[in-house]
Amino acid sequence: MGKILKSKLTMRRFYVLLFLTWFSFSAFSAENSYYNFVYPLNLPPVLSANFSELRPNHFHSGVDFKTEQVIGKPVFAVDSGYVSRFNISGKGYGNCIYITHYNGLTSVYAHLENFIPEIDAFFKNKQYEQKKLDVDITLDKDELKVKRGQQIAWSGNTGSSGGPHLHFEMRDTYTEEVIDPLFFFDVKDDVRPKFSAFLLSPIRAEGVVAGSNVKKRYDVQQSKAGFYSVKGGAEIQALGKVGLEIKANDYMPNTSNIYGINSIRVFVDNKEVFFYKNDRFAFDKTRFLNSFIDYEEWYKNKSMFMTTFVLPNNQLDNYRNLVNKGYLSINEERDYNVKCIVKDFHGNPSTLDFVIKGKKQDIPSPQESNNTFYMRYDTVNRLKLEDLSFTIPKEALYDNLYFQYSIHPNTQGFSDVYDLHLPTVPLQKYCELRIRLKNDLLPDKKKYYIAYKNTYGMDFVGNNYQNGFLVGETRGFGEFVILCDTIAPNIKPVDLSNGSLKFQIYDAKSGVDHYEGFVDGEWALFKFDSKKNMAFYSFDKERVVKGKSHKVELRVFDKCGNEATYQTNVFW
């Protein structure tokens, strides 16, 4: 009894330490023998992606285990526990299961192809009860128990997966924060990260680099293993407040994959001014990635540079030892020796060294254009025009902003075209947009919608009609206009044989909103592959009588309420 009590007290102290300090993850290593998880796959542990990799609008919340480029590998529970949640969707995590263990941690397995029969039957019954494909259900404790090493599923490529693999997460059961799974699994790595370039970004009206207020790129060269310098020894001149941004990636043995960096440290004249480390984060903070990267570089060039300074509304908890928020202060005519050290999870380091020559030069004053006004990040901002209203909530901006807009008359359209600032500037929160409807020709106002122009076409923003205006929400700056959609979606049968039905569904304007499938007049579970816009159904012997003709019906609705229906008879 004394040993049990001592063990409980030890774990309690462990979690107190864990919650108090974000950088106490070494405790996990010390307790690794206590956890003693088994691998979720019966394969050598090779990663195709690591924890906190940079992704569009988010950090990667787990690790991706390779499955030899195929689906159907058995997936095992890493420890005993109970299924606490499952999520099934044609997007995102696809088929996903959560197992809560009795040690304060929850393991997550995503993009699964199928669950084992007893679990699959349980989940399928829930889908039929709710008559929904996409379900997110929480289970009671011990309602569905699993044992350590028990098979729970087969690996797959469902949801938004880009190829067959197992996405695996480890979460703190109490806070639901994600923790780097490499604390619990031994994946060998003795390869150093690599630098490829860096940017020096002068701060508006406060800094200058090479005589300009435009950020400047410097390529790098490796002098010896793990050590980098400016390519060609180019001289760097600057003055004032300057931000350093780096492009670096990690690598692992015996694979060509590119991985994310675990930590960054910056020193100026041997004094640390910036330290970032990411091996744990909360989901409500993950979009703040857009304040950690140079979003403009990502938007224009699909290249992610990591900033080593902190914007005013960057709420990530992964920083330490900040001096002047990480900005470089070049205030004297002398040499500033800058050193940047990046490491991977295993501590393999690489170092970038360069010199900035402080040189007196004019700091350019910004030139303001018409229709420009100043917005603070820490208050609500509104643009109110005769035919448009745009509301930016408090802390939707990452920094103070000189907002600009323009209006392009569109006399034959349903509204003018509005350019609301620049799409190269990210937003953290949704903003309400109202645009007046002109040239109203349709009795059904739901057929109109606000559209946002992106790099691929036009995105649906919203179609809530209120007193002559259409209302929607957006998390992006850019071009907006009202369009209409009176055309039903497309349904194309691809395969109606062998008891497996496949349909391609697509809508060219407002986009597919949802669909419903029926067999012999009863709701049926039609699954969805978002990557191929494919709905598919396999006859269920538990619910459909075999050996006869069956009436199959698929209904597809777009976001403006247009409906398409396909009906056929299939013998099975």
Side-chain angles (χ1 to χ4, degrees), residues 113-131:
E113 179 66 13
N114 287 304
F115 305 104
I116 60 171
E118 51 267 42
I119 295 178
D120 186 66
F122 181 92
F123 295 162
K124 187 178 290 185
N125 285 336
K126 295 290 186 181
Q127 290 175 296
Y128 272 91
E129 286 174 13
Q130 297 187 13
K131 295 184 178 180

Side-chain angles (χ1 to χ4, degrees), residues 480-497:
F480 298 88
V481 66
I482 292 179
L483 301 177
C484 80
D485 183 3
T486 59
I487 302 172
N490 293 307
I491 304 175
K492 178 183 177 182
V494 176
D495 186 1
L496 302 177
S497 61

Side-chain angles (χ1 to χ4, degrees), residues 388-432:
L388 175 139
S389 173
F390 187 48
T391 303
I392 303 174
K394 178 181 177 180
E395 296 183 343
L397 301 171
Y398 296 111
D399 198 355
N400 300 327
L401 175 71
Y402 284 89
F403 180 88
Q404 55 187 298
Y405 71 94
S406 60
I407 306 171
H408 308 284
N410 183 22
T411 57
Q412 301 302 313
F414 301 109
S415 76
D416 293 332
V417 180
Y418 297 91
D419 282 327
L420 302 179
H421 203 60
L422 303 171
T424 54
V425 176
L427 286 164
Q428 176 69 16
K429 299 178 180 180
Y430 281 100
C431 305
E432 183 187 77

Side-chain angles (χ1 to χ4, degrees), residues 179-191:
I179 303 164
D180 194 334
L182 294 190
F183 281 114
F184 312 101
F185 299 101
D186 187 16
V187 178
K188 302 298 182 185
D189 180 13
D190 58 359
V191 181

Side-chain angles (χ1 to χ4, degrees), residues 346-517:
H346 293 83
N348 298 305
S350 285
T351 301
L352 167 67
D353 286 290
F354 61 93
V355 175
I356 297 178
K357 288 187 175 294
K359 183 175 177 61
K360 286 187 177 180
Q361 48 193 305
D362 292 334
I363 296 178
S365 298
Q367 300 297 313
E368 306 300 346
S369 60
N370 294 330
N371 295 335
T372 298
F373 55 95
Y374 187 68
M375 290 183 171
R376 291 187 57 86
Y377 78 91
D378 56 357
T379 189
V380 177
N381 295 278
R382 291 185 178 90
L383 170 66
K384 190 156 183 66
L385 308 173
E386 182 179 358
D387 296 329
L388 175 139
S389 173
F390 187 48
T391 303
I392 303 174
K394 178 181 177 180
E395 296 183 343
L397 301 171
Y398 296 111
D399 198 355
N400 300 327
L401 175 71
Y402 284 89
F403 180 88
Q404 55 187 298
Y405 71 94
S406 60
I407 306 171
H408 308 284
N410 183 22
T411 57
Q412 301 302 313
F414 301 109
S415 76
D416 293 332
V417 180
Y418 297 91
D419 282 327
L420 302 179
H421 203 60
L422 303 171
T424 54
V425 176
L427 286 164
Q428 176 69 16
K429 299 178 180 180
Y430 281 100
C431 305
E432 183 187 77
L433 175 62
R434 294 171 172 263
I435 302 179
R436 187 185 301 277
L437 176 62
K438 298 181 177 181
N439 299 324
D440 181 6
L441 304 174
L442 302 175
D444 184 359
K445 306 303 183 237
K446 285 290 185 182
K447 303 304 180 190
Y448 297 109
Y449 67 101
I450 299 175
Y452 168 74
K453 185 178 181 181
N454 60 28
T455 54
Y456 307 104
M458 304 297 288
D459 272 350
F460 178 93
V461 172
N463 66 340
N464 184 12
Y465 181 80
Q466 297 179 7
N467 300 320
F469 285 78
L470 284 186
V471 183
E473 290 187 322
T474 179
R475 274 203 294 191
F477 289 127
E479 182 181 303
F480 298 88
V481 66
I482 292 179
L483 301 177
C484 80
D485 183 3
T486 59
I487 302 172
N490 293 307
I491 304 175
K492 178 183 177 182
V494 176
D495 186 1
L496 302 177
S497 61
N498 300 321
S500 181
L501 316 181
K502 295 181 181 179
F503 304 88
Q504 190 165 49
I505 60 178
Y506 177 76
D507 188 82
K509 301 199 77 174
S510 60
V512 172
D513 183 68
H514 68 282
Y515 68 89
E516 297 175 335

